[in-house]
Amino acid sequence: MLDHVFLSVSDLDRSIAFYTATLAPLGITQRVDYDGKDGPPGHPDLKGFGAKGRMFFWLRPGIVEGGAAHVGFVANSKDEVNAAYAAAIAAGATDNGAPGARLHYDPRYYAANVLDPDGYSLEFTYKSWQH
C-alpha cells in the first residue's frame, strides 16, 4: 500500500483549486500546507490532500512531466466515480475516458479518466470486489 504521492505542478494555486473541487466527491476533503523550511535543506513546500486524518496526495511546485504520471483514486461507488469525473471536467480537466465499465480489465471495474491542467492522467475507480 502506498503512503503518499507527490506531483510537481506548474501553477500551485490553480492545482489546489482543481484538486479541491475534483477530490471532494471522493471524500478527500482534508487539506494541509507543509512549509518546506521545516524540513531538511531544499525540501519543497507541499500542499496535501487526504481523508480520515491521513494525508496521502501532495502537490509541490516544480517541473511538470504531465505524461509521466498516472494516479488512480478509489471511489466507493459508481456514483462517486461519476461525480468526481463531472467535478474534474467542471474544474478544467480534459476528458480521457468517460465513466463506464473497463471491460478490458474486468466487467466489475468501473472508472473514469481525465487529464489534469498539467496533463497528468487521473483515474477515479470503483472495483466492486474491493469493497
Side-chain angles (χ1 to χ4, degrees):
M1 179 179 292
L2 296 175
D3 182 70
H4 59 273
V5 173
F6 289 3
L7 280 187
S8 296
V9 297
S10 62
D11 182 331
L12 199 52
D13 291 334
R14 176 186 70 184
S15 291
I16 289 168
F18 174 81
Y19 282 102
T20 296
T22 297
L23 299 178
L26 302 174
I28 302 171
T29 58
Q30 294 174 325
R31 278 258 306 109
V32 70
D33 295 332
Y34 178 80
D35 192 334
K37 74 177 193 276
D38 293 335
H43 197 292
D45 291 338
L46 299 171
K47 307 301 180 181
F49 294 81
K52 300 177 185 170
R54 186 172 168 265
M55 306 311 289
F56 52 86
F57 183 73
W58 297 85
L59 303 176
R60 64 182 177 193
I63 297 170
V64 172
E65 303 265 349
H70 172 83
V71 180
F73 292 95
V74 173
N76 291 308
S77 67
K78 291 178 181 181
D79 287 340
E80 277 191 11
V81 169
N82 298 340
Y85 174 83
I89 295 297
T94 302
D95 171 62
N96 198 31
R102 300 301 189 251
L103 299 176
H104 50 279
Y105 294 130
D106 186 284
R108 302 165 295 165
Y109 190 124
Y110 188 87
N113 299 76
V114 300
L115 300 176
D116 86 346
D118 283 311
Y120 291 113
S121 172
L122 308 178
E123 184 173 359
F124 314 115
T125 306
Y126 175 65
K127 299 174 182 174
S128 61
W129 69 93
Q130 293 182 342
H131 292 272

